[in-house]
Amino acid sequence: MFPRMKDLRNINIPLNTAVIDFDEFTSSSMHDRIHGLERVIDEFLSQPVFTEAEVFFSGFDAICQAYDVIIKPFDHLLKVTRDDDLNEQLLNLRKARQNAVKRMMEHDAFRQFVIAGTDSTSILGDEFKRFRTVLNKKSQLLGLALPKNQRDSIAELSNEIVALQSSYRKRVTDASSSFGEQMATVSKSDERYARKKAWIQRYTANLSDQHDTRPIITKILDLRKDLSHRLGADNYAELMAGHRAAGSTDVIDRFILNSADRILPEARNRLTTLKAFAATVDSDIKELQPWDISYLNRLYLEKNFSLPSGDEDKTSGSRIFQLNHSLDIIVEVIDNFFGIQLNEVHGLPVWHPDVRVFDWFDSAGRQIGRQYLDLFTRPGEKSIGAWKSSILHGCSALGREQLPVCGLQCNFPRGKTGETVYLAWDEVKTLFHEFGHCLHELCCQLRISSLSGTQVDRDILEFPSSFMELYSQQPAIMKMLGNDSGRDHEISNETLKILQERDRFMAPFKDLRRLKLAWFDYQLHKRNLTDIAEIHELYLACEKNYGLVEIPASAWPETSFNHISAGDYAVGYYGY
């Protein structure tokens, strides 16, 4: 698979430029491929001297990419299928990749071209200069300047954190089978006791023995604290701020406080409105509780921003947008705005029959990427929420042509077989949001795989997706979404206007939720908290200061906060 190299430019990376056979990622062939890569690294690093910075950087990137074409599909499959065997394999693969990166960073050429920055690096193009900056930052997180025994300890800490994050995600997914039903009860039930029971069940689901994430949370935080101290930072917030676009904790502090000054007054005004409305709905509601909020919001919107009866589908309520038509409009918007065409492809290997595949083409008819759509919920099997996954990063350095490949996952209700699937307006906006991430991934045309797509500072990652989400709310786009020939009539202008008014009413609540979680994430890591009681106390204070109402101490919403405990948004959630 890997011929002997005389020059790094002859490296043969097994790229997936066309079809990914997802079945192969559960086979023992992965072991052979990793061993093959280790031989390539040995040969790469055995070269006595590198005279050109670009040759070293290209080789570094090529080897990282060779690992990623194995690891990325593995990581993706773990989030969309119930295959516990994948987890251990993935952890071993990640350890192998990290060890490869560590070995290359310990090479004299890395110190020469990245840390010292010799004359050879001064003639690099902008992209390679950016890669050098990124590598320099990554080397700091690996403790490259420290003695070898300390570097090895830091690598062990990092590997342990990754393993714990995977365990955390699995426990949340395992407990998630009833999440949708529980939150539907909270929003729709007229029985206050039933709403309370469902809300408590949802936010205590990760306290039971087999689903308890609290020991994992404390261990992750303890390891992050240890890692920060070993790398010379007082806390994890300080450590990671230097690896965010913000650049420092002072900037993050000011941003969150300024956001609070803008968001809190409007949210409290909305809450006052909701309290007054509650008195007209149920005389027993003397004081609002968390299980009352979504219920009252729904009733308030129905009363004050009710949709015309012709646009309230009898079987789907506020689900008035056909899924397939919404996808058609997104495809049309992407074509009109970006000059990119999406063509559906059939007959390719997929991990579930629901999955659809689209190839993306630029205005010249050149394929620029591939997208997998997995839109329906599979409780207990598929991770919760909606997200874009990078299955393969694109690149074109030194002839290593690799088209980017991504997955777009949602958890929309599927409905009965043969029935038309309808989306609520919030779900349509979610679809636009995730397509924004896909645009970011698939439209990137950088030469270097390690910089490609959404591999950017975490606190600016949400800009393209937020742009698309906001763009979906433009009157012209909403009109296109409403002009559905599959319905017996168009969605009226009146309905579209009412949906915009609903958005304006709900916006402060949604902004406040993001602020609350951003503050919790940031303070959690700034204060070096590792005791579960102190962590919970912080979350309760967070709800008191930045939530709509205080929550009972028996509820633990923070135990299923995937973004910071199972993802890469720690000290970065404020980017939302």
Side-chain angles (χ1 to χ4, degrees):
M1 184 181 295
F2 298 97
R4 185 164 184 81
M5 294 187 303
K6 293 183 179 179
D7 187 288
L8 186 62
R9 297 170 193 268
N10 295 326
I11 188 170
N12 178 20
I13 302 298
L15 301 183
N16 295 285
T17 54
V19 177
I20 302 175
D21 184 356
F22 288 97
D23 288 338
E24 76 173 24
F25 292 95
T26 62
S27 70
S28 60
S29 65
M30 296 301 101
H31 180 77
D32 295 334
R33 291 176 70 177
I34 290 297
H35 275 288
L37 285 172
E38 289 172 352
R39 292 193 296 273
V40 171
I41 298 169
D42 289 341
E43 196 162 352
F44 173 41
L45 296 180
S46 68
Q47 299 182 78
V49 65
F50 288 90
T51 58
E52 299 178 37
E54 186 171 332
V55 170
F56 178 76
F57 288 144
S58 296
F60 195 112
D61 183 53
I63 289 172
C64 288
Q65 183 188 17
Y67 277 96
D68 286 343
V69 299
I70 304 171
I71 292 173
K72 290 293 183 181
F74 247 115
D75 185 52
H76 170 77
L77 284 173
L78 191 60
K79 296 174 183 174
V80 295
T81 65
R82 186 64 177 267
D83 191 340
D84 294 340
D85 292 337
L86 287 178
N87 191 43
E88 186 174 352
Q89 293 186 58
L90 178 62
L91 291 175
N92 290 333
L93 289 171
R94 282 176 165 162
K95 288 178 182 178
R97 185 189 190 280
Q98 180 169 341
N99 184 58
V101 169
K102 183 170 171 286
R103 287 183 61 195
M104 290 188 288
M105 286 186 171
E106 290 173 345
H107 194 279
D108 288 342
F110 189 87
R111 301 178 187 278
Q112 174 188 355
F113 295 129
V114 177
I115 298 177
T118 62
D119 292 341
S120 176
T121 58
S122 64
I123 62 173
L124 290 174
D126 289 342
E127 194 172 333
F128 278 100
K129 288 180 179 177
R130 169 64 179 160
F131 188 34
R132 179 194 167 205
T133 299
V134 169
L135 289 178
N136 208 339
K137 287 187 174 182
K138 287 184 177 180
S139 71
Q140 295 168 18
L141 290 179
L142 292 175
L144 192 64
L146 300 174
K148 185 179 185 305
N149 64 324
Q150 295 184 37
R151 295 199 302 270
D152 291 343
S153 295
I154 287 171
E156 291 176 7
L157 284 178
S158 299
N159 285 331
E160 190 173 355
I161 290 172
V162 170
L164 287 166
Q165 287 178 318
S166 181
S167 298
Y168 177 96
R169 185 189 303 113
K170 182 180 183 301
R171 292 194 183 189
V172 172
T173 301
D174 288 347
S176 69
S177 59
S178 300
F179 283 3
E181 180 182 344
Q182 288 159 358
M183 297 318 291
T185 299
V186 173
S187 174
K188 296 178 180 180
S189 177
D190 292 325
E191 297 294 329
R192 199 179 191 202
Y193 174 76
R195 297 200 303 273
K196 177 181 179 179
K197 181 180 178 181
W199 191 92
I200 293 293
Q201 287 175 337
R202 165 63 183 88
Y203 292 115
T204 56
N206 287 107
L207 302 184
S208 62
D209 291 341
Q210 68 271 33
H211 300 147
D212 193 353
T213 57
R214 289 173 297 179
I216 301 177
I217 292 171
T218 56
K219 185 60 177 176
I220 289 174
L221 291 171
D222 187 52
L223 291 173
R224 286 174 177 168
K225 175 184 175 181
D226 189 4
L227 181 64
S228 303
H229 290 168
R230 289 172 186 258
L231 292 172
D234 289 337
N235 53 68
Y236 196 69
E238 179 185 314
L239 177 67
M240 295 309 298
H243 299 268
R244 305 295 187 219
S248 72
T249 54
D250 288 342
V251 173
I252 300 174
D253 273 324
R254 289 197 301 271
F255 178 77
I256 293 179
L257 290 174
N258 289 340
S259 297
D261 289 341
R262 177 181 59 84
I263 293 169
L264 278 172
E266 196 66 31
R268 285 169 177 161
N269 286 338
R270 292 288 195 274
L271 185 61
T272 299
T273 300
L274 213 56
K275 287 179 178 178
F277 176 70
T280 69
V281 172
D282 187 343
S283 58
D284 291 335
I285 301 180
K286 306 298 184 184
E287 184 177 345
L288 294 189
Q289 298 296 334
W291 43 86
D292 297 322
I293 301 299
S294 62
Y295 171 72
L296 291 172
N297 270 328
R298 180 181 63 82
L299 293 181
Y300 184 88
L301 295 178
E302 289 176 357
K303 178 178 176 59
N304 294 279
F305 307 105
S306 61
L307 301 182
S309 57
D311 285 333
E312 286 277 13
D313 187 273
K314 291 181 180 179
T315 59
S316 56
S318 61
R319 297 180 178 276
I320 59 176
F321 295 94
Q322 282 197 22
L323 170 59
N324 285 339
H325 178 69
S326 299
L327 285 171
D328 289 343
I329 296 306
I330 292 175
V331 169
E332 185 176 346
V333 167
I334 291 174
D335 187 6
N336 291 340
F337 202 99
F338 299 99
I340 294 169
Q341 295 181 340
L342 279 66
N343 294 338
E344 187 163 8
V345 185
H346 300 280
L348 295 179
V350 293
W351 56 90
H352 191 275
D354 286 342
V355 177
R356 300 170 66 181
V357 187
F358 290 84
D359 283 343
W360 289 40
F361 297 86
D362 65 15
S363 57
R366 180 178 64 93
Q367 185 176 356
I368 61 172
R370 174 165 289 168
Q371 176 193 42
Y372 292 82
L373 263 65
D374 184 359
L375 300 180
F376 301 118
T377 186
R378 296 191 294 278
E381 173 185 342
K382 182 179 177 183
S383 293
I384 60 176
W387 73 98
K388 185 275 306 175
S389 54
S390 300
I391 299 177
L392 294 173
H393 292 305
C395 78
S396 61
L398 299 179
R400 292 183 288 112
E401 294 289 342
Q402 169 65 63
L403 293 177
V405 179
C406 72
L408 189 163
Q409 289 70 229
C410 295
N411 274 280
F412 300 146
R414 200 190 195 297
K416 296 179 181 178
T417 303
E419 282 188 354
T420 300
V421 177
Y422 286 89
L423 302 180
W425 174 230
D426 278 348
E427 292 169 331
V428 174
K429 290 184 290 184
T430 295
L431 200 55
F432 269 82
H433 180 102
E434 298 306 331
F435 261 92
H437 284 306
C438 293
L439 277 162
H440 191 177
E441 183 73 55
L442 301 183
C443 293
C444 182
Q445 297 185 15
L446 294 177
R447 298 173 61 203
I448 299 175
S449 174
S450 301
L451 300 180
S452 182
T454 53
Q455 297 177 105
V456 297
D457 291 330
R458 188 60 55 173
D459 49 356
I460 61 173
L461 176 62
E462 296 299 322
F463 175 75
S465 54
S466 297
F467 169 82
M468 281 295 286
E469 182 176 343
L470 290 171
Y471 193 63
S472 71
Q473 300 167 55
Q474 298 301 305
I477 304 303
M478 294 185 71
K479 182 65 176 174
M480 292 168 65
L481 289 163
N483 186 12
D484 182 358
S485 60
R487 295 172 58 91
D488 55 7
H489 69 285
E490 292 183 17
I491 299 176
S492 66
N493 289 335
E494 181 184 0
T495 291
L496 299 177
K497 182 179 179 181
I498 290 171
L499 289 175
Q500 289 177 313
E501 291 172 346
R502 286 184 172 186
D503 280 346
R504 283 192 287 271
F505 180 81
M506 292 298 296
F509 292 152
K510 295 179 178 180
D511 289 343
L512 189 64
R513 178 182 179 275
R514 296 188 189 100
L515 173 66
K516 172 184 68 179
L517 295 178
W519 185 83
F520 173 70
D521 164 40
Y522 179 58
Q523 293 296 326
L524 179 66
H525 292 97
K526 188 178 181 181
R527 298 184 188 187
N528 281 330
L529 298 185
T530 57
D531 177 77
I532 195 62
E534 293 179 347
I535 293 167
H536 190 47
E537 183 180 348
L538 173 67
Y539 189 84
L540 294 175
C542 167
E543 287 282 0
K544 180 178 180 179
N545 295 327
Y546 295 113
L548 291 171
V549 296
E550 294 186 47
I551 68 170
S554 59
W556 293 68
E558 69 271 30
T559 56
S560 56
F561 190 5
N562 268 339
H563 279 76
I564 64 168
S565 294
D568 299 321
Y569 279 85
V571 196
Y573 196 85
Y574 63 87
Y576 277 98

